[in-house]
Amino acid sequence: MATITELSTELRMATFRLSRRLRAEKADQALSDAQLAVLGVLYRRGARTLTELAEAERVSAPSMNRTVNCLEESGHVVRTADEVDRRKSNITLTDAGRDVVQQTLSKRDAWLTTRLRELSKEDRAVLARAAELMGGLATR
Amino acid sequence: MATITELSTELRMATFRLSRRLRAEKADQALSDAQLAVLGVLYRRGARTLTELAEAERVSAPSMNRTVNCLEESGHVVRTADEVDRRKSNITLTDAGRDVVQQTLSKRDAWLTTRLRELSKEDRAVLARAAELMGGLATR
DNA sequence: TATTGTTATACTCTATAACTATA
DNA sequence: TATAGTTATAGAGTATAACAATA
């Protein structure tokens, strides 16, 4: 890779290409991408407030509120009033929500996991570090 | 990174996150992602019919029809009746539509280049290799 | 006053079903 | 009959503005 500009173009194209390919592999049609993303955050990081979820997904609070409402109505999450700060409500996964995450994550990652297995250990280490860096780029 | 499945999840999320951030860099904020994607198809592949655009973006014909209507009203595309098969209409970019695509591509690269300059030479090398690997994954 | 969450409102994207025009 | 496009209708995700409750 000769220049930073060239790296930029290559990384942009590779990111869009992989993103598009991964989106095409969407397995569970019952839940939307936005809903599954929220369940994923709660699954990996535990209970979160509405504001925290909105920031994590970089959407507005009213937008996240609507998504959480849907998830609450479908029984995948519950709101619990915060004991200390009563303005807050902690949003947690129900057993059903946890099951959905566990059952769907493997489906969503099946395509990618299969391809990652074909790579060397060293290449996977590169991608692991790259995932961290890409996450950092996006939040800067 | 303990398992390949975990790497898969992290890489997928990082890819979606960076993809989303890059998509936010556009020449005209009034254009949605779906609209810009259609302009991109027309820019790269030339004139297309409604059905072809719907298939390219994997959405229904009515959904694409609505998106094309918006683009037509904003002056980014034009419909031209097909001379041979009068059921069809060929959708083409206007000069304004072409400008938006070109300006958006350079704006995205500019954003990414700025962030890449803040990284170490080693981290950029990781991303360069990762871009190659990601490209390979997507085409496999 | 500031923060957290919600409601009100509006726009886009998405879909399926049904319709029109043309082949 | 079949195909290309459109209209009708409805649900989800997005936003901003304004509000209520609490700190």
Side-chain angles (χ1 to χ4, degrees):
Chain A
M1 195 68 64
T3 70
I4 294 181
T5 300
E6 284 172 9
L7 167 58
S8 177
T9 300
E10 292 301 321
L11 183 58
R12 168 175 58 77
M13 290 176 60
T15 298
F16 280 150
R17 197 175 304 135
L18 182 55
S19 177
R20 193 162 48 242
R21 188 66 185 80
L22 280 169
R23 256 199 305 277
E25 290 298 317
K26 190 168 72 171
D28 192 328
Q29 303 296 333
L31 289 167
S32 70
D33 288 350
Q35 289 171 0
L36 260 173
V38 170
L39 295 183
V41 170
L42 296 175
Y43 181 77
R44 289 187 305 277
R45 303 183 193 170
R48 286 289 183 275
T49 66
L50 187 79
T51 299
E52 286 168 347
L53 286 177
E55 286 171 355
E57 291 304 304
R58 299 178 197 288
V59 298
S60 66
S63 178
M64 181 55 70
N65 189 57
R66 175 168 287 191
T67 298
V68 169
N69 283 345
C70 288
L71 289 170
E72 196 177 26
E73 285 167 18
S74 60
H76 293 102
V77 304
V78 288
R79 282 179 165 96
T80 314
D82 190 289
E83 294 297 329
V84 179
D85 185 341
R86 292 171 63 83
R87 291 174 306 182
K88 297 181 180 177
S89 70
N90 295 302
I91 298 153
T92 55
L93 282 181
T94 62
D95 288 344
R98 198 174 312 276
D99 286 348
V100 165
V101 173
Q102 288 170 338
Q103 289 166 14
T104 59
L105 277 187
S106 59
K107 286 185 182 177
R108 301 213 318 183
D109 289 334
W111 178 87
L112 187 51
T113 298
T114 298
R115 268 118 204 115
L116 290 174
R117 280 192 214 287
E118 298 169 0
L119 299 181
S120 69
K121 199 171 180 179
E122 290 72 23
D123 283 346
R124 285 199 295 270
V126 166
L127 288 174
R129 175 67 182 139
E132 294 178 13
L133 292 170
M134 288 163 65
L137 290 177
T139 57
R140 213 163 300 176
Chain B
M1 195 66 66
T3 70
I4 294 181
T5 299
E6 283 172 8
L7 167 58
S8 178
T9 301
E10 293 300 324
L11 182 58
R12 170 175 52 75
M13 289 182 57
T15 299
F16 281 154
R17 200 174 300 135
L18 182 55
S19 176
R20 189 174 182 175
R21 185 61 187 81
L22 280 169
R23 272 200 304 274
E25 293 294 319
K26 50 183 106 166
D28 185 345
Q29 290 299 326
L31 288 171
S32 68
D33 290 348
Q35 290 170 2
L36 208 45
V38 169
L39 295 183
V41 170
L42 296 175
Y43 182 79
R44 290 189 304 273
R45 304 183 194 170
R48 287 289 182 275
T49 66
L50 187 80
T51 299
E52 287 168 347
L53 286 177
E55 286 170 355
E57 291 302 303
R58 300 173 197 285
V59 299
S60 65
S63 179
M64 183 54 71
N65 189 57
R66 172 167 289 192
T67 297
V68 170
N69 283 345
C70 288
L71 288 170
E72 196 177 27
E73 285 167 18
S74 60
H76 292 100
V77 305
V78 288
R79 282 181 167 96
T80 315
D82 190 289
E83 295 296 331
V84 179
D85 186 340
R86 293 171 62 83
R87 293 173 304 181
K88 298 181 181 178
S89 70
N90 295 301
I91 298 152
T92 55
L93 281 182
T94 61
D95 288 345
R98 197 175 315 276
D99 285 349
V100 164
V101 174
Q102 289 169 339
Q103 287 166 19
T104 296
L105 290 182
S106 56
K107 194 171 182 181
R108 284 173 178 168
D109 278 344
W111 179 87
L112 190 49
T113 297
T114 299
R115 267 99 206 137
L116 291 173
R117 280 192 213 288
E118 298 169 1
L119 298 182
S120 70
K121 200 170 179 178
E122 289 72 23
D123 283 346
R124 283 199 297 269
V126 166
L127 288 175
R129 176 67 182 138
E132 293 177 14
L133 292 170
M134 288 162 65
L137 291 176
T139 57
R140 213 165 298 176

